[in-house]
Amino acid sequence: MRGALDCSSGNNQKTMNRAVRILRIINAEKSEFNEDQASCGKLCIRRCEFGAEEDQEWLTLCPEEFLTGHYWALFDGHGGPAAAILAANTLHSCLRRQLEAVVEGMVAAQPPMHLSGHCICPSDPQFVEEKGIRAEDLVIGALESAFQECDEVIGRELEASGQVGGCTALVAVSLQGKLYVANAGDSRAILVRRDEVRPLSSEFTPETERQRIQQLAFVYPELLAGEFTRLEFPRRLKGDDLGQKVLFRDHHMSGWGYKCVEKSDLKYPLIHGQGRQARLLGTLAVSRGLGDHQLRVLDTDIQLKPFLLSVPQVTVLDVDQLELQEEDVVVMATDGLWDVLSNEQVARLVRSFLPGNREDPHRFSELAKMLIHSTQGKDGSPTGEGQVSYDDVSVFVIPLHSHGQGSSGH
């Protein structure tokens, strides 16, 4: 089953047409329901709390808006679509609340020590300056807090409804001339320009966060319930390895060493497998995301949530400082795209497609569709390599040219 969806709809069709396009392919081979979810729209930040208006449709244009931006988000669910659906319906509201709590500091020449403007200590501005605190740091903090708040909401909602599951989250926010990319999971965003490909996110997997995860197991060994070893070996050890000196590494090591194999080393490893096959506690392929509060190792009471972070890594792209061209775009996609296409391959597809389609008002939609088509292994695939992704694939193509021309105003 396959289908394409443009996320711009309803009253906001004209507003979002030029800002973003999303197309999604649903692979019935993976799951009955597409576990990818998406959300996008205009982000309206006000000076005060909404009060009774809190539950109003978030995409409506706000006459009381003080600061405006745009928001895009992709959520890749696992263990069912419930967490991804909740995240798509919740995270933007969490972010709006967090931004409204700091908006006065965001628009100040320098974020004040006291949001009220009172100066308790004459040296307060100097302390803020010495810390190097800028307006973008308030946005980063708001994004981090919004992810944490959303994770708590998902935990409560799933427990109340008796549902389970989790999701990765990749968010882009265009605000005050900058693009903030927040990632928790293994989705990816890249900047594609005529002569540049720049990663805007890093993937968080059991392998990339090995030392953090091992450190947690070192400090709290009870989390492994005596069933796992935190040490990493090149392969799963066998009985014949007992007494032999083998390669290993622990939480404090980026390099490798040798140790004499003991019986406890024969337990299943905390992180097992390589690359895309790496799993945390033999269960999960990501180390950051939202949800998974109820997730346990099969046939045990060992929880995975203590090892998972909901906090994103935030990258800031200063769009106003770029000499933007019409074909400069940000490509955001869930891991189904990146499983079969590298950053450079995606960039080549972007550069080959956009210049010849400048007159097409739907060219960014068509580009997203073409990127997805290139993962389906069909004859005529633009890459010509017949690669197939067996995962759900969702893609945003965000043209930067319009965002670099006064789109972040008060």
Side-chain angles (χ1 to χ4, degrees), residues 362-399:
H362 305 295
R363 61 191 179 280
F364 299 110
S365 290
E366 293 303 315
L367 172 56
K369 184 176 180 180
M370 184 263 285
L371 289 173
I372 293 172
H373 178 79
S374 67
T375 70
Q376 301 306 298
K378 294 181 177 180
D379 293 337
S381 170
T383 60
E385 298 175 17
Q387 301 164 101
V388 180
S389 176
Y390 295 98
D391 202 351
D392 299 330
V393 181
S394 294
V395 175
F396 274 124
V397 173
I398 306 172

Side-chain angles (χ1 to χ4, degrees), residues 125-292:
Q126 180 181 344
F127 288 128
V128 173
E129 184 174 356
E130 288 177 351
K131 288 286 187 180
I133 302 171
R134 299 162 296 175
E136 70 179 50
D137 296 307
L138 296 177
V139 180
I140 292 171
L143 278 161
E144 293 166 336
S145 297
F147 272 62
Q148 181 67 32
E149 179 186 346
C150 184
D151 183 59
E152 294 169 359
V153 170
I154 290 172
R156 292 194 299 267
E157 293 291 332
L158 291 185
E159 183 178 12
S161 63
Q163 295 178 291
V164 296
C167 67
T168 65
L170 176 64
V171 171
V173 175
S174 174
L175 192 64
Q176 294 181 296
K178 295 181 179 179
L179 187 74
Y180 298 83
V181 178
N183 187 44
D186 58 358
S187 295
R188 188 186 306 173
I190 64 172
L191 167 67
V192 179
R193 308 185 70 197
R194 182 178 301 172
D195 55 358
E196 179 186 13
V197 183
R198 187 188 309 181
L200 297 178
S201 64
S202 300
E203 280 105 273
F204 293 99
T205 68
E207 275 197 317
T208 64
E209 294 208 280
R210 173 189 60 83
Q211 287 183 269
R212 176 186 70 78
I213 294 168
Q214 286 181 317
Q215 170 75 14
L216 191 63
F218 170 74
V219 176
Y220 302 102
E222 63 273 14
L223 293 175
L224 302 182
E227 298 290 334
F228 293 83
T229 174
R230 73 169 187 273
L231 302 180
E232 180 185 13
F233 303 97
R235 62 162 169 80
R236 176 84 185 274
L237 297 184
K238 303 176 182 180
D240 291 342
D241 292 310
L242 280 170
Q244 303 295 317
K245 283 193 172 183
V246 301
L247 285 165
F248 87 107
R249 57 181 176 178
D250 202 351
H251 66 92
H252 61 281
M253 303 167 67
S254 59
W256 292 81
Y258 284 94
K259 80 178 296 286
C260 187
V261 177
E262 305 170 31
K263 190 174 181 180
S264 60
D265 297 325
L266 303 184
K267 296 175 183 178
Y268 200 87
L270 172 60
I271 298 170
H272 182 62
Q274 305 295 324
R276 292 287 181 179
Q277 303 306 314
R279 294 293 182 271
L280 172 61
L281 294 171
T283 304
L284 201 58
V286 293
S287 55
R288 296 199 190 192
L290 307 174
D292 289 316

Side-chain angles (χ1 to χ4, degrees), residues 287-308:
S287 55
R288 296 199 190 192
L290 307 174
D292 289 316
H293 296 76
Q294 309 302 321
L295 184 61
R296 286 170 168 77
V297 177
L298 185 64
D299 296 329
T300 76
D301 285 327
I302 300 175
Q303 294 184 322
L304 277 83
K305 188 62 175 177
F307 294 98
L308 307 177

Side-chain angles (χ1 to χ4, degrees), residues 29 46 64 71 123 157 171 186 260 329 337 403:
E29 294 83 1
R46 306 182 185 185
E64 307 92 336
Y71 167 96
S123 300
E157 293 291 332
V171 171
D186 58 358
C260 187
V329 298
L337 181 76
H403 288 275

Side-chain angles (χ1 to χ4, degrees), residues 325-370:
Q325 304 295 319
E326 191 173 347
E327 283 81 31
D328 293 346
V329 298
V330 168
V331 177
M332 297 170 57
T334 52
D335 64 317
L337 181 76
W338 310 109
D339 283 346
V340 296
L341 294 178
S342 67
N343 293 357
E344 290 294 340
Q345 286 176 310
V346 169
R348 284 198 297 270
L349 291 173
V350 169
R351 292 168 183 152
S352 66
F353 181 87
L354 287 179
N357 292 273
R358 287 196 179 106
E359 303 305 316
D360 184 355
H362 305 295
R363 61 191 179 280
F364 299 110
S365 290
E366 293 303 315
L367 172 56
K369 184 176 180 180
M370 184 263 285

